[in-house]
Amino acid sequence: MKIAVVGGGPGGLYFAALMKQLDPAHEVTLWERNAASDTFGFGVVFSDETLGGIGNADTVIADYMSRRFARWSDIDIHFRGEMHTVGGQGFAAMSRKELLELLQRRCIELGVDVRFSTMAPDVEELSANYDLVLAADGLNSAIRTRFADSFKPSLDPRTSKYMWLGTNQVFEAFKFFVKETDAGTMQIHGYPYSDEGSTFIVEMHEDVWRAAGFDETQDEVFAPGVSDEKAVAKVKEIFAEELAGYDVLTNNSKWINFTTVRNENWRHENIVLLGDAAHTAHFSIGSGTKLAMEDSLALAACLHEHPSVQDALEAYETERRPVVASTQRAAQASLEWFENIGQYKDQDPVQFCFNLLTRSRRITYDNLKLRDTEFAARVDEDFARLAGSKEIAPAMFQPYRIGELELVNRVVVSPMDMYSATDGVPGDFHLVHLGSKAMGGAGLVMTEMVCVSDIGRITPGCTGLYNDEQGAAWKRVTDYVHGNSNAKIGAQIGHSGRKGSTRLMWEGIDEPLETGNWEVLAPSAIPYGEGCHVPVEMDRSMMDEVRDQFVAAARRADEAGFDLLELHAAHGYLLSSFLSPLSNKRTDEYGGSLENRLRYPLEVLDAVREAWPTHKPIGVRISATDWTEGGNTEDDALAIAQAFIDHGVKSIDVSSGQIIKAEKPAFGRSYQTPFADKIRNQVAAAAGVAVIAVGAISSYDDVNSILLAGRADLVALGRTHLYNPQWTLQAAAEQEYVGDGATWPLPFKAGRRKPPSARTDAVRPRLSLLREDVQDEGTVHLRWTPANNKATENLVPSA
């Protein structure tokens, strides 16, 4: 093959070396506009997994890298005057300059035609004269821009500012310095890369950056290689204590906004993107160098394995896309966490450390426990202390109080529409459905949205609380729950609004009824989506009538014995449609500004509060974002949550979306939890209001991790409880928990131990004469000690 490589960073060089190693007959030419000696940045970090791949692909490169690595396993987190160390992580880093020199030498050794300080020929000329053109030209890829119609790039510049710096202080571990200043929260990401220095990245939200006066040089244009010395001087001053007398090193150091790069396609004809040209991932979860070198390995392998360039490029993209997407999801969660780090400034230090470690959702409590059992135990103890509990137990089994309502644990069965009622009356199905979830161990069981009127139903199969027959039927359910479990039961009441008069879910979700239609109401005469009903715009008399229906439903809910009431103001139903500017286009005092859009939902809440007993809590469910341009954002959700708190709610159930059909949600594991996190830590916790996280949460490990990090007070699971009604009790058995947080009904008690599942559970005979007793010496803490130019192990468990 005849191959053109544009870009002489680690990704381009490594690919060139691999191709020549696979077949010396390949003609590989590499162009790099900078000089061979030019390099920006300090250290690069690799995972053991990546290093294993490099070792398999090129032993020469791997051997040299291994001899230059700084290795360690500890993370030190400095926060509010305390340092906490977590072990068992595993890191390897080296100087970026040394890595480039190694890769350059390797390419020349293998016969790559390397042309530094040289601009590549026009890409169309390269495409015509070479079998393959590799665009490894970085974040600001000119090739990607040239063929943007094919690659379809998406560039997402973020709100935080950061600067790559170094220091001649050699850290022993990965260091997070989180510092509260007069301007706000700032953080340092630091790690060693040799026996001479460490990377020292300073990062802060742009608001903090401006408040600290760093914007003084924002209009200055710095020549390539020139650093922002005024900013560096200020960094030295602010972080003098952390630097401990050591110097700050610069290398083209200036303020940057991180940009997340994504492309719908990575290839155009015989041109392919690699590394930062194709994708970026925030530095807080690893290095772009790691991703680029993994790309190189995969691309070289695919070219070797497939008969044509097009087949190889298709295979490369198919293979790498899921890996990159997973990394970018984790990176997005991590960068957003650091953007919002100021909301955690008052957190307990141990909880803050756990929160930081689990920010990307790749590390969970169980995962951390395998790495550092001592620190995991400290997290459990600290959470019990914060919860005011004498029992050290899994977080999900710690008790919780919503207002005056006491829950035995923090698991909630999320409201789920069952579409199985007749004329709004719940029947045996609902008794079994909700009764089984209560007997399955959840602390709080929520009904589906119980509708306040016949035309407030979503479908003909929805339940109601608009007549006494329905109230009596619900009392049968609450009596069963109270008589057969320790669970509490809450009623979610709502009105379908413009999303009403539709078919049962399995007959066509959100599709209008073919017969038996009824009039649907909304703040404005705008349909939910194409083919949906055009609603009637509500006038004042209609608003009064619906408000009174909510009040009547609340009274019936109390008479039926419900312990908690939740107002459904999410998912595009009536109250939600007043809140969203996408569905509320009114020009009176109920439309326009967010304050006006809140007016009617708050009127309904205030009226319901008057009718609902003061000793029973009222909560609200909200959509924290509309997932579409022009809709409510998570910042709007903060204002909405604050307004509901000011009007007396005791819990906020944080969901998202379903306001319009054309939404584009970013689905993924625990994808809605960051919204709950923001609301809890910015407005709810200070008011003593419970926040409930919901959405694609399915494992007890994720539940515990969310709670331990302080991202929510309770966790609601929906589909998980459909899969296994006894999920909470099963989670107790699997965690070997026995206590008040998971009470087994007496007839079920024989099942509280996990049953044997296979022959592998059989007791094995002793077949050795001599036995070597293995002593558990605690977590191994590996720290980088440059005085000996090697890492050392501390086998003493951490304090």
Side-chain angles (χ1 to χ4, degrees), residues 201-219:
I201 306 172
V202 58
E203 184 186 26
M204 66 198 74
H205 194 280
E206 187 166 338
D207 293 344
V208 177
W209 179 80
R210 292 189 183 281
F214 283 115
D215 58 346
E216 179 185 358
T217 57
Q218 69 175 334
D219 295 325

Side-chain angles (χ1 to χ4, degrees), residues 73-217:
S73 68
D74 282 355
I75 297 175
D76 295 339
I77 302 171
H78 300 252
F79 178 68
R80 292 178 58 185
E82 297 181 18
M83 185 188 87
H84 291 272
T85 297
V86 185
Q89 309 299 312
F91 298 100
M94 69 181 295
S95 160
R96 190 172 192 274
K97 183 176 182 179
E98 285 193 347
L99 176 62
L100 283 170
E101 289 173 350
L102 157 68
L103 293 170
Q104 289 165 8
R105 283 203 307 271
R106 185 63 172 149
C107 282
I108 292 167
E109 259 175 33
L110 293 167
V112 177
D113 181 0
V114 182
R115 303 179 185 182
F116 287 105
S117 303
T118 307
M119 294 296 293
D122 182 81
V123 65
E124 291 189 0
E125 179 185 336
L126 292 175
S127 179
N129 295 321
Y130 287 80
D131 299 311
L132 174 72
V133 179
L134 179 68
D137 52 344
L139 171 68
N140 300 310
S141 170
I143 295 175
R144 184 187 65 222
T145 303
R146 180 76 164 271
F147 298 108
D149 289 345
S150 292
F151 295 124
K152 295 182 172 58
S154 164
L155 306 181
D156 178 19
R158 303 304 302 181
T159 58
S160 286
K161 295 281 189 179
Y162 73 99
M163 182 186 289
W164 282 95
L165 296 165
T167 176
N168 57 350
Q169 179 181 181
V170 182
F171 297 135
E172 293 186 347
F174 212 118
K175 291 279 189 178
F176 288 105
F177 296 103
V178 181
K179 192 175 186 98
E180 196 59 29
T181 72
D182 291 340
T185 309
M186 303 180 187
Q187 64 268 10
I188 296 293
H189 308 247
Y191 56 87
Y193 61 82
S194 73
D195 56 4
E196 296 179 351
S198 302
T199 296
F200 194 80
I201 306 172
V202 58
E203 184 186 26
M204 66 198 74
H205 194 280
E206 187 166 338
D207 293 344
V208 177
W209 179 80
R210 292 189 183 281
F214 283 115
D215 58 346
E216 179 185 358
T217 57

Side-chain angles (χ1 to χ4, degrees), residues 7-19:
L13 288 165
Y14 187 48
F15 171 78
L18 291 176
M19 290 305 292

Side-chain angles (χ1 to χ4, degrees), residues 17 56 75 147 167 231 260 274 440 447 462 478 505 508 542 551 600 681 695 754:
N56 291 333
I75 297 175
F147 298 108
T167 176
T260 300
L274 181 141
T447 68
C462 291
T478 63
M505 180 181 66
M542 293 175 180
V551 170
Y600 184 63
N681 286 291
K754 186 178 179 181

Side-chain angles (χ1 to χ4, degrees), residues 2 40 52 118 347 426 485 699:
K2 190 178 179 185
F40 305 118
T118 307
Q347 264 197 332
S485 75
S699 73

Side-chain angles (χ1 to χ4, degrees), residues 630-702:
N632 281 332
T633 67
E634 55 193 273
D635 289 330
D636 295 317
L638 289 174
I640 291 169
Q642 185 65 65
F644 280 119
I645 290 170
D646 292 343
H647 283 249
V649 300
K650 296 299 181 184
S651 65
I652 301 178
D653 189 353
V654 185
S655 189
S656 69
Q658 301 181 50
I659 305 297
I660 62 170
K661 271 192 173 184
E663 67 178 3
K664 294 182 179 179
F667 289 121
R669 178 171 139 254
S670 306
Y671 72 106
Q672 295 179 146
T673 300
F675 305 132
D677 186 356
K678 195 166 188 172
I679 289 171
R680 181 185 187 273
N681 286 291
Q682 292 197 31
V683 297
V689 170
V691 169
I692 306 170
V694 64
I697 303 166
S698 59
S699 73
Y700 64 75
D701 187 21
D702 280 337

Side-chain angles (χ1 to χ4, degrees), residues 415-445:
M416 293 176 282
D417 290 317
M418 293 287 105
Y419 310 107
S420 299
T422 301
D423 296 327
V425 179
D428 288 347
F429 174 88
H430 299 85
L431 178 68
V432 173
H433 163 56
L434 296 171
S436 67
K437 308 304 181 291
M439 292 176 69
L444 174 64
V445 176

